[in-house]
Amino acid sequence: MSKRLQAMRGTRDILPGEVEAWQALEDAARRFSARYGYREIRTPYFEATELFARGVGESTDIVRKEMYTFPDRKGRSLTLRPEGTAGVARALIEAGLTQPGMLHRVYYLGPMFRYDRPQAGRYRQFHQWGAEVVGSASPWADVETILLLVDLLGTMGLAGLTVKLNSVGDATCRPAFQQRIREILGPRRAELCPDCQERLDKNPLRVFDCKVPSCQEIVHHLPPMLDSLCDACRAHLEQVKRGLEAAGARYEIDPGLVRGLDYYARTAYEVHHGQLGAQSALGGGGRYDGLIHLLGGADVPAVGFSMGVERTLLALEEEGKTPRPESAGVFLARGAGLGDEALRLARELRRRFQVYLDLEERGLGAQLKQADRLGARLAVILGEDEVKAGELTLKDLATGEQRRVPRAGIEEALAAALAAAGGTGR
Ligand code: AMP
């Protein structure tokens, strides 16, 4: 017997019934991006492996062990995108859009792929909404992206949110700090996990990010990067804080926050949700001033974030705020032998309304049962009597009330009845 085919581990089907919440979140993400002046950018789901090796960083967990990398038929090494920023940067550079003085606000929405260990809130194919400001070094750009992220989450109704903010310094102040960490941890090297031993060589700041308890214990006693910031980085952080305060957004300074990617400079932030346990970060981002140049563009600064769609939906569920689809459907029920007329009428009504039509030859009673099952609000009944009188029967499926309306006035009658029932008719 052949084995039953199943979705691959770490991937999920989003079925009707669940997809409506996704659509509501995606719609809100698009709406808020547009309100903040961000325009959509769509980049390929796979890229040359080298883009991520360079653009995400050789020392990151993503590049070291989480990428879906494979040779294509010509032997080129390709990788399914594990995150969105590198592809966006590549696309803007390739289109000649990263000249000094240019400013772009872009957003993306779509699947990312990481060979992570699947658990609640962590998948191998997951979805992100992300936004980037390319071409501004202003702390206000950092503030703007943070506000965009928290406003989207807020508009979905989420309450238990915390914005964590930190600065990871820049090329002026970070190297000395990294050297200091190396000096402090060098003698304790053997106590660190194998990953951290490697991090110590490649990017010591990343030991702050380690989830292994014995490493966390050691990291806990390290001096924070915050205390070693140069004047420019310190001023930048102060202005980000001031901007958030001016806009009325709350935040916490988290000196231990470093983001997983190598290219961050100065601002790093995350938005956490109180009820999600270990995977509590809904999204995060920061400034990555060196990335565009590193990938072959001009030396233009940039800042951005990405938010996990699955995790945000989990948080909404925890708070009982999962968006529900509102049913506003019209069911067109027909008498025997009136199929042709019903098909014509349904097509006409579908210019404005969501209309269900029974596909089988069933009696009126069975059709109305179908209408209930589908959650339709209204039924339009087309029977022999109605045809003779040039009318239709309009039935409210919630109250059971029904009345006759002239065939020619059906659209207005439906619009009014749906508005009264709180639906839009779409
Ligand atoms: P990162 O790019 O790792 O900073 O991730 C940004 C956001 O994407 C996280 O805060 C999560 O909400 C989400 N995310 C990252 N990795 C996964 C994953 N494997 N499964 C589901 N969501 C993820």
Side-chain angles (χ1 to χ4, degrees):
M1 224 172 65
S2 65
K3 214 171 126 217
R4 220 170 109 199
L5 292 169
Q6 289 182 323
M8 296 306 296
R9 191 164 132 79
T11 70
R12 298 165 68 233
D13 301 305
I14 305 151
L15 300 175
E18 193 188 355
V19 82
E20 290 80 4
W22 281 71
Q23 289 168 337
L25 180 55
E26 288 162 0
D27 287 351
R30 290 184 191 286
R31 204 166 55 242
F32 266 76
S33 301
R35 282 198 194 157
Y36 269 80
Y38 290 64
R39 293 160 72 193
E40 186 175 5
I41 181 165
R42 301 186 188 191
T43 65
Y45 292 0
F46 63 86
E47 300 263 4
T49 302
E50 189 197 345
L51 171 67
F52 302 113
R54 271 164 65 185
V56 178
E58 302 273 10
S59 81
T60 59
D61 285 352
I62 291 182
V63 172
R64 289 177 53 239
K65 43 191 182 191
E66 294 175 3
M67 294 206 302
Y68 276 95
T69 296
F70 53 94
D72 75 359
R73 288 173 184 276
K74 288 241 168 92
R76 286 170 292 230
S77 181
L78 305 180
T79 293
L80 297 182
R81 63 181 190 185
E83 56 90 57
T85 303
V88 167
R90 196 245 341 112
L92 293 177
I93 295 167
E94 194 170 329
L97 295 174
T98 57
Q99 310 303 323
M102 287 183 174
L103 179 73
H104 301 283
R105 289 181 170 93
V106 292
Y107 79 91
Y108 57 83
L109 191 57
M112 306 293 162
F113 308 84
R114 292 184 197 171
Y115 196 81
D116 248 345
R117 197 167 51 81
Q119 52 180 283
R122 193 188 284 173
Y123 311 97
R124 289 182 173 168
Q125 176 176 328
F126 60 101
H127 299 75
Q128 284 185 337
W129 166 58
E132 327 272 6
V133 181
V134 178
S136 174
S138 164
W140 273 32
D142 311 29
V143 171
E144 184 176 282
T145 62
I146 297 171
L147 294 176
L148 171 55
L149 175 56
V150 295
D151 280 353
L152 180 275
L153 293 169
T155 199
M156 297 304 294
L158 282 178
L161 300 172
T162 311
V163 177
K164 297 187 178 181
L165 180 67
N166 192 22
S167 174
V168 293
D170 66 3
T172 308
C173 50
R174 196 161 50 197
F177 178 73
Q178 289 183 313
Q179 190 49 35
R180 203 165 148 217
I181 297 296
R182 274 196 193 104
E183 281 162 19
I184 297 172
L185 290 182
R188 306 186 68 178
R189 195 183 179 88
E191 295 169 58
L192 297 169
C193 73
D195 281 347
C196 276
Q197 295 189 12
E198 212 179 314
R199 287 174 185 141
L200 211 51
D201 300 328
K202 290 190 172 150
N203 184 356
L205 215 59
R206 298 212 49 248
V207 299
F208 284 93
D209 215 11
C210 186
K211 301 286 181 283
V212 176
S214 54
C215 291
Q216 282 184 340
E217 177 54 29
I218 296 170
V219 165
H220 195 68
H221 300 288
L222 292 176
M225 177 71 224
L226 266 185
D227 293 349
S228 301
L229 295 179
C230 59
D231 289 346
C233 285
R234 193 175 302 283
H236 189 94
L237 178 62
E238 285 310 312
Q239 287 179 55
V240 173
K241 285 160 64 176
R242 194 149 15 107
L244 289 173
E245 283 156 24
R250 271 197 299 247
Y251 64 88
E252 278 171 14
I253 292 291
D254 179 352
L257 172 68
V258 294
R259 303 269 308 145
L261 315 181
D262 276 355
Y263 49 64
Y264 280 97
R266 294 189 173 166
T267 311
Y269 59 88
E270 279 180 354
V271 178
H272 287 256
H273 186 260
Q275 292 168 19
L276 282 189
Q279 309 294 329
S280 71
L282 299 184
R287 183 161 274 290
Y288 47 94
D289 288 348
L291 178 70
I292 306 278
H293 190 51
L294 181 76
L295 294 178
D299 196 2
V300 286
V303 55
F305 67 80
S306 61
M307 181 203 85
V309 172
E310 283 86 349
R311 263 190 230 171
T312 302
L313 289 168
L314 279 174
L316 286 165
E317 205 176 306
E318 286 296 328
E319 288 196 17
K321 305 240 173 71
T322 302
R324 304 260 171 241
E326 62 165 87
S327 161
V330 176
F331 193 99
L332 176 55
R334 63 184 185 274
L338 293 172
D340 292 357
E341 172 61 12
L343 209 51
R344 255 194 311 277
L345 178 60
R347 191 172 186 209
E348 197 181 305
L349 294 179
R350 281 173 177 150
R351 288 194 302 239
R352 276 182 74 181
F353 308 100
Q354 179 190 43
V355 178
Y356 299 105
L357 190 60
D358 196 13
L359 302 176
E360 317 300 331
E361 289 283 338
R362 272 188 270 239
L364 267 184
Q367 290 182 54
L368 290 174
K369 256 195 213 125
Q370 272 286 314
D372 270 339
R373 218 168 291 145
L374 288 164
R377 296 240 168 149
L378 300 171
V380 170
I381 301 170
L382 172 71
E384 223 169 291
D385 284 357
E386 281 87 350
V387 173
K388 273 192 206 128
E391 292 178 338
L392 291 162
T393 296
L394 188 56
K395 177 169 177 161
D396 186 317
L397 291 168
T399 64
E401 277 169 40
Q402 60 180 59
R403 65 192 161 91
R404 288 284 188 98
V405 294
R407 167 79 168 80
I410 185 64
E411 288 198 23
E412 277 57 49
L414 274 178
L418 284 169
T424 57
R426 273 195 320 113

